[in-house]
Each structure stands twice: as structure tokens, then as C-alpha cells.
Amino acid sequence: FNLLYLGFINNCAQGVLYLSVLVTFAACNAPPVPLDDILIEKTSVPEQCVRAVKVGDFVRYHYIGTFPDGNKFDSSYDRGSTYNVFVGKKQLIEGMDKALVGMCVNERRLVKIPPQLAYGKQGYGDIIPPDSILHFDVLLLDVWNPEDGVQTNTYHTPSVCSRKVEVSDYIRYHYNGTLLDGTLFDSRFVSYKTYDTYVGIGWLIAGMDQGLLGMCVGERRIITMPPSLGYGENGDGSDIPGQASLVFDVVLLDLHNPRDGITVTNQVAPESCTRKSVSGDFVRYHYNGSLLDGTFFDSSYSRNRTYDTYVGRGYVIAGMDEGLIGVCIGERRTITIPPHLGYGEEGTGTKIPGSAVLVFDVHIIDFHNPSDNTEITATFKPEECDKQTKKGDFVKYHYNASLMDGTSIDSTYNYGKTYNIVLGANQVVPGMEDGLMDMCVGERRHLVIPPHLGYGERGVTGEVPGSAVLVFDIELVDMEEGLPEGYMFIWNDEVSPDLFSEMDKNTDKEVEPSEFTDYIMQQVTEGKGRLAPGFDPYRIIDNMFSNQDRNGDGKITEAEFKLKADEAAAHDEL
């Protein structure tokens, strides 16, 4: 019995245990037991089943049809196309209509269908004999219903969403496009190039036109659409078959409307703002530039220098020209610029793609107008102010110098000594000349000097940036009255009628440089004359001697010698 039992196990196709040798041989040689209904074996089940087939759904599937002995009678694979049909509407044999219900996309089933639920006693021509049991190996690829619309599933929402896609907006987005079974047919991620289009005006398939509405920049969503809202019965002729549901995994990068203007947000203005920029001003500012999805493309900070330009004159893109009007020095603001006010459909060809919205985080360092003068504000003035500075005076003052953003440049207090100049002698920038005029000793002033009255477009290497507005807080410590304009030496007393003889110590009728120098210095020491303050006295005297030495022979004769009052032309004389 044991030997017969083992032989049964190895040879009996039905695998049914019988307890006698006779029964065993009878069972192994008996014909198959007739099926009362279909038998389903799930040979592969997907991890997720978003939707199962219901009666009335349209499905696309592949199959291999065989007889119980394994002989194939049909295959959709051999034809190179899926079988596409409505379920439960008698477009299939009854057994297949039942077998497809409840299937998930990418599920695989082995279905056994009895003749009464297949082709019955008639069979099917020369292909399927009468009373045939049929086996189908079925793989479901797609399912949809005529009542289906677009389905969206957002799986990432940005923390900030100031605006959502509306009809007629222009957007830039990346996507992966797949069939319902996951077969990839297109991807903008692979090409690194966004898909750029208007929404809701028929530039896209209907399902995408609907599915993109309401998205935020940075949002990621799955858009699923039936073929009626995709490529319909015919597909696209290449990668998308007819009657195919489509799935798009989308990330929105950019959004604007052709009617948009610039948007100014995140304004942080200083407490004091005495003036706002106007068209024609020259502005120095720092910026970080990015796309709407946060992709960085440029920064003035990385170059360690401001961007300097006129505003309102077309020197920068139109959106920035507009966005820099009405700013305060020290203000920070975010300027969002649509592409028609930025770099348009072409972009820059490298960092800025075509039709890109631009976002600039701007910090205004300073601005001025070419017509500006030095701005002078007295912060302290002594009660007694009998004498005020004027051109030619020798002044001594302290200062703290900075840029408009507060960056320190220099300070005389660091050196423990004053800065000393002669007003009107071009020893300081013109704006400082202006700021020191008509000032009393002890007075303190706040000066704002535009660059054309300061260090100009070039600035001072390593100290003052080009085109920088300067701020000086100054205090006049001392002053010495200068000489009248055009004079480097004046007499305090009446001029001696025998001036030449007094100079000519050796009475040789010629005045040599040493005689001339000794005489002038003696007059200054005795208080009879005064040299222009703030200059090297010996250089002044040398200059005076040269002017008297008409023939340039190094000596002054009585014929050459003249007082300034006797000169026809004004120059530095006695």
C-alpha cells in the first residue's frame, strides 16, 4: 500500500487522496470534474490598490488564453495591444465579465472558466472546441469609468502660499507622466526643462487644464485623468495608447499672470526716513536674486560689492526700475517681478530660464541725485559766535566718517589729533569744504555728502566704495583767519617806503633769496606782516621771491621789485 500510495502522489494529477488501490487508479484516469463557476487564483497582487474594477468600468488588460492542457489559443501580447472593453455590459464572455470585477491595476490573475460561462457547446469556430474549459492569465493595466473626472492628490504643500493657479495664469512646472500601471511615457525632470504654458485656455489636455488649478508654487500633486480628458480613443500615436488613463506627478515652480505688476512685500523701513528715492536717483543696494521656487541665481553679497545704478531711466529691468522707487535708505524689501517686467520669454540663457518670475530681496544702502548738494545739519551751536569760517581760513576739526549704512570709515578721535586744512584750497572733498563754511568754533554739524561732492564713482580703494554717499559728524576745534583771496602775505602795518633798501642788507642793489627770506620772516616774527596760515611759510616765501625775480636770474633788482598794489595783474606779490 505504501508503494502504491507513493506512486499515486507522483502520478495523480488531481492530487486527491484515496485509501484503496482500485479507487486510486480510477481517480487518476477519470476525466476532469466539471466546473460550476469560475475559479480565480491571484498570482500577483500590488502593494496598493487605489481602485478595484466595478461593473460598468472600462478596462485595459493583457491576457494569455490556454486550454487546460496548456495549449495556447489566443494572446493579446502576440497582437501587441491590450484588450480594451467595458466590464459587465456583455461585451465579454460571461466568465471573464465576472473574473475582472474586483481586480486592481497591476494585479495578475489565473482564471479558469467553465464552458457554460465561455463559448458553451457551440465553441468558437476552429479556435475553441465545444464544451471547452478556458484558462486566462490576466494582467490588469488600466481602469476608468465614463463618469470619472480629474482626481488630484496633493502630497506636499509649501508652508507659504500667497497665490494659487487660476484660469489664464502662465505657469512653469516639472512632471513625470505615467500610465495607470506606472509605465513612464514622458518626464520633464529628465530633460531638466520645465513645461511652460497657460492654464485653462485650451493649451493643455483638458485633464491637465483642470488638475493644475489651485496649485501653489512648490506644491507637489498627483493628477489622474481618464482618457476622455487625456488623449482619448487614439492616444498620442506613440507612447500613450488609446483609452489610457494618465497619471502626472507635478511640482509647480512658477506662476504669474500677464496682467501682473511687481509685488513688494516684507518691507522693513528705518524709523527715520527723511527722503524716498525718485526717478533719476542713483541707488546703491545689495540683493539676493532667486526664482519663485527658491532657486538661487545671483547675489551682490557674493561679489562683496553693491549694485549701483540710476532708477527710472531703464538702466535695470523694468520691474526693478519700478521696485526701487519710493525706498528709504536702509530699507529692506522683497520685490517679485513677473517675466514681462524681467527677462521675458528668453530669460538670460543660463541662470534665469525663460518666462521666469524673479524674486529680489533688496537692502538699500544709499542713494543720491546728481543735483544734490551737501546736506548740513547743525547738531550744536555755541551761544556766542562772533566769527565764522570763510574761504582761506585755517581750520582745525575733529570728525567721525561713515557710510549711510553706518559702516565706519575713519575718525580723527582714533588718532588723538585734529584734521587741519585751509578752506578753499582743495585740501578736502568739495562736500567737506561746503560743510565747514560759516561755522563757529565749538560748533558741531552732521554732513551728508553725495558722491559727486565726495569721492565720486571710484571711491577710495579699500575704504570708500564707488558712488558712496558719505556721512561726517564734525566739530570745529579752532580756526585762524586767512588772508584775502589772492594773497599769501599781507602787511599788518604801513609798508615802509624804503622796503627794497631794508631787504638789501649788503647794499649791492640786489636782493638775494636769503636776504628776502630773512626779511619776510622778521616781519612775521615782529607782527608787522602775516603769511597765509596752513601752508609751509618757506614755500610761500620762495614763491613770492620767484614772482619778484622777473628775469629768473636768482636775484631781485630795484627795477624788478614791485608791491602788489603796483601790479596790473593780481598774483602773489608783496
Side-chain angles (χ1 to χ4, degrees), residues 286-560:
H286 272 303
Y287 70 86
N288 284 320
S290 63
L291 305 182
L292 205 57
D293 67 342
T295 301
F296 171 84
F297 63 79
D298 193 18
S299 173
S300 63
Y301 295 99
S302 64
R303 294 187 293 275
N304 199 31
R305 57 172 297 189
T306 56
Y307 193 85
D308 310 336
T309 186
Y310 286 97
V311 294
R313 293 186 175 181
Y315 284 71
V316 289
I317 55 175
M320 189 61 84
D321 235 2
E322 182 181 348
L324 292 171
I325 299 295
V327 296
C328 302
I329 292 174
E331 181 175 338
R332 296 177 184 268
R333 60 168 51 180
T334 299
I335 305 170
T336 303
I337 302 174
H340 53 275
L341 298 176
Y343 290 98
E345 296 180 5
E346 301 299 323
T348 62
T350 52
K351 296 182 179 180
I352 301 176
S355 300
V357 177
L358 307 177
V359 179
F360 289 93
D361 289 312
V362 173
H363 180 202
I364 307 301
I365 302 302
D366 67 34
F367 62 82
H368 72 279
N369 194 282
S371 63
D372 285 350
N373 294 316
T374 300
E375 182 182 317
I376 303 171
T377 304
T379 57
F380 174 78
K381 200 163 187 176
E383 294 182 2
E384 294 185 7
C385 183
D386 299 330
K387 188 182 295 184
Q388 295 179 327
T389 56
K390 64 183 183 305
K391 187 175 181 180
D393 287 350
F394 182 60
V395 298
K396 298 179 181 181
Y397 63 98
H398 274 301
Y399 69 80
N400 285 320
S402 64
L403 303 179
M404 287 296 287
D405 65 351
T407 301
S408 177
I409 299 173
D410 195 15
S411 174
T412 55
Y413 295 101
N414 295 336
Y415 311 119
K417 60 180 181 179
T418 58
Y419 199 80
N420 309 327
I421 67 162
V422 176
L423 283 176
N426 298 320
Q427 295 176 350
V428 288
V429 295
M432 183 60 79
E433 293 265 20
D434 296 339
L436 287 166
M437 290 292 184
D438 303 317
M439 197 172 182
C440 306
V441 172
E443 184 177 346
R444 292 192 289 269
R445 289 181 175 181
H446 180 78
L447 310 181
V448 179
I449 301 176
H452 53 274
L453 298 176
Y455 292 103
E457 295 181 7
R458 294 189 176 184
V460 178
T461 303
E463 296 182 30
V464 180
S467 300
V469 178
L470 305 177
V471 178
F472 283 90
D473 288 301
I474 62 174
E475 178 184 4
L476 187 63
V477 175
D478 196 7
M479 64 173 287
E480 184 179 344
E481 189 174 3
L483 303 187
E485 187 172 359
Y487 286 82
M488 297 299 285
F489 174 84
I490 61 171
W491 294 97
N492 292 330
D493 296 329
E494 293 293 327
V495 181
S496 171
D498 197 19
L499 189 59
F500 182 82
S501 298
E502 292 177 8
M503 288 185 184
D504 184 17
K505 293 292 185 180
N506 60 7
T507 65
D508 62 354
K509 304 299 183 183
E510 293 177 338
V511 175
E512 296 182 356
S514 60
E515 293 176 314
F516 188 86
T517 299
D518 290 344
Y519 184 81
I520 296 298
M521 290 301 293
Q522 182 182 355
Q523 307 311 303
V524 171
T525 301
E526 294 175 355
K528 297 178 180 179
R530 192 157 68 94
L531 291 167
F535 297 98
D536 182 350
Y538 293 100
R539 293 189 64 179
I540 295 177
I541 294 171
D542 287 345
N543 184 60
M544 293 169 61
F545 182 87
S546 296
N547 289 333
Q548 292 292 329
D549 183 13
R550 317 286 172 167
N551 61 8
D553 63 354
K555 298 176 182 179
I556 303 172
T557 63
E558 192 168 6
E560 291 176 312

Side-chain angles (χ1 to χ4, degrees), residues 85-355:
V85 68
F86 281 99
V87 176
K89 293 191 176 183
K90 297 184 178 181
Q91 297 180 2
L92 294 163
I93 57 175
E94 188 176 351
M96 187 61 81
D97 248 351
K98 295 176 65 177
L100 291 169
V101 173
M103 280 194 81
C104 302
V105 173
N106 287 328
E107 181 179 337
R108 191 168 184 174
R109 289 182 174 183
L110 179 60
V111 183
K112 298 177 181 180
I113 303 177
Q116 67 272 21
L117 297 178
Y119 292 99
K121 296 183 179 300
Q122 290 76 29
Y124 188 79
D126 297 331
I127 301 174
I128 299 177
D131 295 319
S132 295
I133 295 175
L134 304 181
H135 292 185
F136 287 93
D137 186 352
V138 179
L139 175 63
L140 186 66
L141 301 180
D142 201 346
V143 56
W144 55 271
N145 193 282
E147 296 181 359
D148 286 348
V150 173
Q151 299 176 25
T152 61
N153 176 27
T154 295
Y155 64 93
H156 174 74
T157 303
S159 58
V160 177
C161 181
S162 58
R163 175 174 176 178
K164 297 182 178 182
V165 177
E166 298 177 357
V167 172
S168 81
D169 282 342
Y170 192 89
I171 64 173
R172 297 189 310 112
Y173 62 98
H174 277 305
Y175 69 84
N176 282 326
T178 64
L179 305 180
L180 206 58
D181 67 341
T183 302
L184 182 72
F185 62 79
D186 192 15
S187 175
R188 284 297 169 129
F189 289 99
V190 173
S191 65
Y192 297 103
K193 185 177 181 181
T194 56
Y195 195 84
D196 309 339
T197 185
Y198 286 97
V199 178
I201 61 173
W203 283 33
L204 294 162
I205 55 176
M208 190 62 86
D209 248 355
Q210 296 177 31
L212 291 167
L213 293 176
M215 284 194 78
C216 305
V217 172
E219 181 178 337
R220 295 175 180 265
R221 66 167 53 170
I222 304 293
I223 302 172
T224 305
M225 65 194 70
S228 59
L229 298 176
Y231 288 93
E233 296 182 5
N234 299 321
D236 71 346
S238 57
D239 298 315
I240 301 175
Q243 301 289 29
S245 300
L246 305 179
V247 180
F248 291 91
D249 188 347
V250 175
V251 55
L252 186 65
L253 301 182
D254 205 339
L255 160 66
H256 78 277
N257 194 283
R259 300 186 299 271
D260 287 347
I262 68 166
T263 303
V264 176
T265 55
N266 302 326
Q267 288 178 269
V268 180
E271 292 182 3
S272 175
C273 181
T274 57
R275 171 180 167 183
K276 295 185 177 183
S277 61
V278 297
S279 180
D281 282 345
F282 191 87
V283 180
R284 295 196 314 118
Y285 62 97
H286 272 303
Y287 70 86
N288 284 320
S290 63
L291 305 182
L292 205 57
D293 67 342
T295 301
F296 171 84
F297 63 79
D298 193 18
S299 173
S300 63
Y301 295 99
S302 64
R303 294 187 293 275
N304 199 31
R305 57 172 297 189
T306 56
Y307 193 85
D308 310 336
T309 186
Y310 286 97
V311 294
R313 293 186 175 181
Y315 284 71
V316 289
I317 55 175
M320 189 61 84
D321 235 2
E322 182 181 348
L324 292 171
I325 299 295
V327 296
C328 302
I329 292 174
E331 181 175 338
R332 296 177 184 268
R333 60 168 51 180
T334 299
I335 305 170
T336 303
I337 302 174
H340 53 275
L341 298 176
Y343 290 98
E345 296 180 5
E346 301 299 323
T348 62
T350 52
K351 296 182 179 180
I352 301 176
S355 300

Side-chain angles (χ1 to χ4, degrees), residues 45-120:
V45 179
E47 292 184 2
Q48 292 184 336
C49 182
V50 178
R51 175 173 176 174
V53 177
K54 301 188 298 294
V55 172
D57 284 345
F58 191 91
V59 296
R60 293 191 310 111
Y61 63 94
H62 270 306
Y63 70 88
I64 299 173
T66 63
F67 296 114
D69 61 3
N71 288 324
K72 182 170 65 175
F73 62 82
D74 193 15
S75 172
S76 63
Y77 296 99
D78 294 343
R79 294 191 298 275
S81 64
T82 56
Y83 196 79
N84 308 333
V85 68
F86 281 99
V87 176
K89 293 191 176 183
K90 297 184 178 181
Q91 297 180 2
L92 294 163
I93 57 175
E94 188 176 351
M96 187 61 81
D97 248 351
K98 295 176 65 177
L100 291 169
V101 173
M103 280 194 81
C104 302
V105 173
N106 287 328
E107 181 179 337
R108 191 168 184 174
R109 289 182 174 183
L110 179 60
V111 183
K112 298 177 181 180
I113 303 177
Q116 67 272 21
L117 297 178
Y119 292 99

